[in-house]
């Protein structure tokens, strides 16, 4: 049987890029679908997955706002430079 233990070290969600959060969410979904974890671990993963999904949604909402011109060019975790512009590419 595969080792499906959740990771022991979890980076703060707000520090993750969209891609990192999405990849971790995919891993969590796979682990939950396998159904091999104890209930407490499953609940913890579910909660982390919900938070990751919300983080990804925020990234996507802000990207859409940038494309439509409805918001300033900043995303979760983006840092502004001296001109107030985002350093994110």
């Amino acid at each position: 049987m595969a080792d499906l233990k959740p990771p022991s070290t979890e980076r703060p969600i707000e520090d993750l890029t969209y891609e990192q959060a999405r990849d971790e969410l995919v891993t969590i979904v796979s682990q939950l679908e396998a159904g091999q974890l104890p209930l407490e671990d499953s609940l913890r993963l579910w909660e982390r997955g919900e938070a990751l999904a919300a983080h990804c949604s925020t990234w996507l909402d802000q990207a859409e706002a940038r494309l439509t011109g409805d918001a300033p060019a900043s995303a979760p975790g983006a840092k502004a430079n001296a001109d107030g512009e985002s350093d994110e590419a």
Side-chain angles (χ1 to χ4, degrees):
M1 180 168 25
D3 182 15
L4 296 176
K5 289 183 181 176
S8 59
T9 58
E10 295 175 341
R11 289 179 53 193
I13 291 173
E14 61 273 5
D15 292 347
L16 300 176
T17 65
Y18 170 80
E19 292 80 6
Q20 291 168 331
R22 181 202 58 217
D23 291 347
E24 185 177 340
L25 182 56
V26 168
T27 300
I28 286 173
V29 169
S30 295
Q31 290 176 334
L32 290 172
E33 286 177 342
Q36 301 298 314
L37 295 171
L39 179 60
E40 188 171 319
D41 290 342
S42 294
L43 288 172
R44 188 183 60 74
L45 281 177
W46 179 272
E47 291 168 349
R48 176 122 174 129
E50 287 287 327
L52 288 164
H55 184 66
C56 288
S57 181
T58 299
W59 272 99
L60 293 173
D61 290 345
Q62 290 186 357
E64 180 180 22
R66 285 179 63 187
L67 291 173
T68 61
D70 293 339
S74 66
K79 295 182 177 106
N81 62 24
D83 297 329
E85 296 176 6
S86 175
D87 287 339
E88 299 287 317

